[in-house]
Amino acid sequence: MQRRNAIGNSVRNTGGGEATLPPYTDLLWPTVQAVIELGGSGVIEEIDSAVIARTGLSEEARAVLHGDGPGTEIEYRLAWARTYLKGMGLLSNTRRGVWSVTDRGRAVRESEIKPMQVAYTAEKRRKRMVRNVSQGAQVVPLAAAPEDPELWREPVLRAVADLSEDGFERLATAVLRAAGFTTLTIPAPGGSHAPEGHVEGTGVLRVSLLSFSVFFRFLRAPEKAGADVVREFRAAMVGRGEKGLLVTTGSFTEDARAEAHRHGAPPIDLVDGDGLCDLLEEHGLGVRSTVRTIEDVSLVPAFFAELSGR
């Protein structure tokens, strides 16, 4: 059975209740399609109305204000969606307030949207880091101690360990979608071969022109996973995917790593707790990085000498 994997954000509406709004990433495809349906271009109000109609947002969700208003939260997220689509080359706005779909936007497929968004976000981050480095900036993880920049992973892994079972499944889904997976299927409780409290399923990963069916399993275990864990996973993988992905919040023994790439057996990609933290940081999932700029100030004696005519 395929379960619903879309992850929205619960926000409080003006009536005091809870409403669920999709993140801007889930609005990218509906926005492109809405502009196409409008004849290839439209003003912001037209596009917003068309996207809202396509997504079937409730009246309560549409009424949620962004901050103290006057704009709504969905208008704010739709604005971000248009901005990203422009950066991805799918929309353009040559005239103020008027947005048009590009040739690339007309040809794009829904399965290509997420990989394009991930690539665009990564390129933005790379350019920002290059710019900061060229200006003498120093990039420091938000939760890091100055004496050990790797300490930020410890509180992240503790937060993951404290998640409910449903929360851990949502985290696994968010990581996979951010990494470019589509068509995720996670069996309902009782229909999985994974140990209790863990998450497994199948998905499709598209890399450039190629796509692969992947069987994955997320283990929430602080201890080291040995070769037996990898062998058991490989046995469960038979007939369920071309490739295997095994993720743990703990670590893997050397024997486990050797077993994952044993000659003659289907290879399995392993991601340990540190790797999981890196993925969360890379995609901005519960981890935020800030840039601290260190400014070096130097005296230029020639300037003052020139003022004095010397």
Side-chain angles (χ1 to χ4, degrees):
M1 180 178 69
Q2 186 164 343
R3 302 176 66 185
R4 181 179 182 273
N5 288 300
I7 300 175
N9 294 344
S10 291
V11 290
R12 189 166 296 278
N13 59 31
T14 53
E18 293 290 330
T20 299
L21 291 171
Y24 81 89
T25 50
D26 285 355
L27 297 170
L28 298 174
W29 175 251
T31 299
V32 172
Q33 294 305 296
V35 178
I36 292 175
E37 288 180 358
L38 288 169
S41 65
V43 298
I44 292 174
E45 292 78 11
E46 290 179 308
I47 298 170
D48 285 358
S49 296
V51 175
I52 289 170
R54 289 181 65 89
T55 54
L57 283 179
S58 67
E59 184 176 346
E60 291 77 12
R62 297 197 302 269
V64 174
L65 296 179
H66 176 66
D68 295 327
T72 63
E73 181 65 22
I74 189 61
E75 289 171 342
Y76 176 78
R77 299 186 187 195
L78 283 167
W80 272 112
R82 291 191 299 272
T83 298
Y84 268 73
L85 288 168
K86 180 179 179 180
M88 293 156 60
L90 305 182
L91 293 184
S92 64
N93 65 325
T94 52
R95 287 190 295 154
R96 183 176 178 84
V98 178
W99 292 77
S100 304
V101 66
T102 64
D103 290 341
R104 190 179 184 188
R106 289 185 183 276
V108 73
R109 293 178 295 181
E110 184 174 7
S111 61
E112 297 172 321
I113 291 286
K114 187 60 183 180
M116 290 177 68
Q117 181 262 324
V118 171
Y120 173 64
T121 302
E123 180 62 14
K124 280 184 60 180
R125 184 181 295 111
R126 185 192 68 80
K127 288 181 178 179
R128 184 170 62 247
M129 292 181 67
V130 169
R131 183 172 62 250
N132 288 330
V133 169
S134 67
Q135 295 173 353
Q138 180 182 6
V139 179
V140 181
L142 181 66
E147 67 277 7
D148 187 351
E150 300 303 312
L151 290 179
W152 66 272
R153 291 183 176 86
E154 294 181 8
V156 173
L157 290 174
R158 284 198 298 269
V160 173
D162 290 340
L163 287 172
S164 65
E165 289 189 14
D166 285 346
F168 187 56
E169 179 179 319
R170 294 189 188 100
L171 177 73
T173 301
V175 168
L176 292 169
R177 289 202 180 280
F181 277 74
T182 61
T183 323
L184 291 178
T185 302
I186 298 177
S192 169
H193 297 283
E196 185 178 355
H198 304 317
V199 177
E200 73 172 27
T202 59
V204 175
L205 176 62
R206 186 173 185 86
V207 181
S208 187
L209 299 177
L210 303 176
S211 60
F212 307 94
S213 60
V214 180
F215 175 60
F216 59 82
R217 180 178 290 175
F218 281 67
L219 305 174
R220 186 158 46 162
E223 65 274 5
K224 284 190 173 184
D228 57 326
V229 173
V230 177
R231 284 192 291 268
E232 193 278 329
F233 174 75
R234 182 178 280 123
M237 175 184 162
V238 175
R240 303 176 73 182
E242 303 170 64
K243 296 184 178 294
L245 174 64
L246 183 58
V247 183
T248 181
T249 58
S251 59
F252 294 100
T253 65
E254 289 302 317
D255 287 344
R257 296 186 181 279
E259 175 63 29
H261 297 282
R262 177 165 54 84
H263 181 70
I268 296 171
D269 288 304
L270 303 180
V271 177
D272 60 13
D274 285 350
L276 176 60
C277 288
D278 291 340
L279 284 170
L280 295 176
E281 192 275 334
E282 177 183 352
H283 299 295
L285 299 171
V287 180
R288 181 173 61 197
S289 297
T290 57
V291 177
R292 297 180 182 177
T293 302
I294 300 176
E295 185 177 18
D296 292 323
V297 181
S298 302
L299 177 68
V300 184
F303 172 80
F304 295 97
E306 184 178 350
L307 290 178
S308 299
R310 295 197 297 270

